[in-house]
Amino acid sequence: MAVPIAVLDCDLLLYGRGHRTLDRFKLEDVTDEYLVSTYGFPRQFICYLVDLLGATLSRPTQRSRAISPETQILAALGFYTSGSFQTRMGDAIGISQASMSRCVANVTEALVERASQFIHFPKDEATVQTLKDDFYGLAGMPGVLGVVDCTHVAIKAPNAEDLSYVNRKGLHSLNCLMVCDSRGVLLSAETHWPGSLPDCSVLEQAALTSQFETELHKDGWLLGDSSFLLRTWLMTPLHIPETPAEYRYNMAHSATHNVIERTFRTIRSRFRCLDGSKGTLQYSPEKSSHIILACCVLHNISLQHGLDVWSAPAAGHMEQSEEEYEQMESVDSEACRVRQELLLTHFS
């Protein structure tokens, strides 16, 4: 008679049932240099995350031994910043690869739950005016509330029949729509759109459009590139500039919009799980979308803590927009009037 084989938790096999939590790694036992080199962030930042997420990560579990919030956060940061579940990473904090995967899932969901706390447009008038002033200081473009663009993150094929995630390069990806301020702080991040959707279609269906058409369009606009349609709240470049004012407008537009490209490079450089150098995200589209959003939350928190990596070297293959720009002239006469007034008032 065959004897059934129980599937056992690797950590349980290794460490038994002696304690309620697995605290085999202590922050105070290692140097700041080690934390930055292994997990991508300094001690103060990691401690902040433990305080922020600790209660959520300590939720009751059916397992006899839970992994401490500190260890879960270190495991997740190790994956986000390296893109790998290497045994070396698990060995460093004393957990198995299977437990590493569970930690990433737990921390990801905890960060996603707090996305609206860290990624949002300012609402009070003084902060909105500061936002506009900061953008104006870059290249003289007035009224800018944010710069918007899309970027693709490679994922594994969901299944053979689902072609909605296949982008123009024949690769499976998520098309992520993001808006940032002049410092690269994300003001909006929609990370769930299938890679087959062109940027203009993503924006058409995005919550961002509803926000601006119903709430945020108050004497200001976003800047988008030529893959988007001109709207009253979204200024795009002129297809064929002819006058000096139009050239000045396009130059100011390009210099200001470049902030989002630098922001994408920053996210790619810090969170190697997104840059393609370790392969695609090996999760379903939904879980991959949550990992991207979790990294966006961490990006904003890192900027709040003064961890600016714009000077870091570019790395990896996090794809920019898949568009072959097809200039789409707006049929919105009011949007054309707004742009023309901007040209006459500020660039003539």
Side-chain angles (χ1 to χ4, degrees):
M1 177 179 175
V3 178
I5 300 175
V7 178
L8 299 177
D9 188 310
C10 297
D11 293 316
L12 190 60
L13 282 171
L14 290 172
Y15 299 100
R17 296 179 178 270
H19 302 85
R20 293 185 62 192
T21 59
L22 301 177
D23 292 311
R24 299 184 292 279
F25 180 94
K26 299 292 184 183
L27 283 176
E28 59 267 24
D29 293 339
V30 296
T31 65
D32 286 332
E33 291 76 12
Y34 174 82
L35 290 173
V36 172
S37 65
T38 307
Y39 304 103
F41 292 95
R43 188 185 315 275
Q44 183 180 9
F45 182 88
I46 295 170
C47 290
Y48 173 82
L49 291 182
V50 173
D51 291 340
L52 178 69
L53 307 178
T56 301
L57 298 177
S58 299
R59 287 171 180 165
T61 175
Q62 293 182 346
R63 294 183 177 276
S64 58
R65 290 162 57 80
I67 299 175
S68 70
E70 182 179 280
T71 300
Q72 291 185 62
I73 287 168
L74 288 171
L77 291 178
F79 170 72
Y80 297 147
T81 58
S82 73
S84 173
F85 286 125
Q86 296 177 16
T87 303
R88 175 183 64 81
M89 187 70 69
D91 288 346
I93 52 179
I95 62 175
S96 65
Q97 182 170 318
S99 293
M100 281 277 296
S101 182
R102 287 197 298 273
C103 290
V104 171
N106 292 342
V107 174
T108 295
E109 293 311 306
L111 288 168
V112 167
E113 287 176 7
R114 290 161 177 78
S116 62
Q117 177 183 344
F118 294 99
I119 304 175
H120 56 81
F121 283 91
K123 295 192 175 175
D124 64 281
E125 290 186 10
T127 308
V128 170
Q129 187 58 51
T130 298
L131 187 65
K132 294 179 182 179
D133 292 344
D134 289 344
F135 272 118
Y136 186 79
L138 292 180
M141 179 69 77
V144 180
L145 298 170
V147 288
V148 59
D149 207 350
C150 287
T151 189
H152 285 250
V153 177
I155 63 171
K156 74 173 182 179
N159 57 63
E161 291 75 30
D162 190 351
L163 300 180
S164 64
Y165 293 92
V166 179
N167 61 37
R168 292 175 65 131
K169 293 185 177 180
L171 305 174
H172 290 81
S173 67
L174 290 167
N175 195 2
C176 305
L177 179 73
M178 300 188 193
V179 180
C180 74
D181 70 9
S182 63
R183 298 190 303 116
V185 175
L186 294 173
L187 306 175
S188 177
E190 300 185 33
T191 60
H192 62 283
W193 297 103
S196 65
L197 284 179
D199 294 358
C200 59
S201 297
V202 169
L203 183 62
E204 185 69 32
Q205 302 174 54
L208 178 68
T209 294
S210 177
Q211 278 185 297
F212 267 79
E213 291 184 345
T214 60
E215 301 173 21
L216 293 172
H217 180 211
K218 296 178 180 178
D219 300 319
W221 37 71
L222 301 179
L223 296 188
D225 62 24
S226 298
S227 63
F228 299 113
L229 279 171
L230 178 71
R231 300 168 184 258
T232 56
W233 50 268
L234 177 64
M235 294 293 102
T236 59
L238 289 142
H239 181 35
I240 304 176
E242 296 177 347
T243 69
E246 290 176 345
Y247 276 102
R248 285 192 288 269
Y249 167 86
N250 270 14
M251 289 179 64
H253 188 292
S254 177
T256 307
H257 189 265
N258 184 55
V259 173
I260 191 79
E261 297 167 7
R262 295 174 67 193
T263 299
F264 288 155
R265 289 197 296 269
T266 294
I267 294 171
R268 175 185 63 206
S269 180
R270 173 161 275 153
F271 302 107
R272 298 298 177 86
C273 68
L274 307 181
D275 73 11
S277 64
K278 301 291 184 180
T280 61
L281 284 174
Q282 296 297 303
Y283 297 92
S284 68
E286 180 182 9
K287 289 184 177 180
S288 295
S289 170
H290 285 186
I291 288 174
I292 300 165
L293 185 56
C295 290
C296 290
V297 173
L298 289 173
H299 166 77
N300 274 10
I301 296 175
S302 69
L303 290 179
Q304 288 182 4
H305 282 72
L307 303 177
D308 187 350
V309 294
W310 272 5
S311 58
H317 305 89
M318 184 177 179
E319 297 291 340
Q320 199 72 12
S321 168
E322 294 288 335
E323 302 296 309
E324 293 177 3
Y325 291 151
E326 298 173 2
Q327 182 68 29
M328 297 175 291
E329 292 299 337
S330 177
V331 295
D332 186 338
S333 59
E334 179 62 15
C336 293
R337 186 197 65 77
V338 169
R339 186 169 65 180
Q340 188 61 30
E341 183 178 330
L342 177 61
L343 280 162
L344 293 174
T345 304
H346 294 279
F347 295 98
S348 294

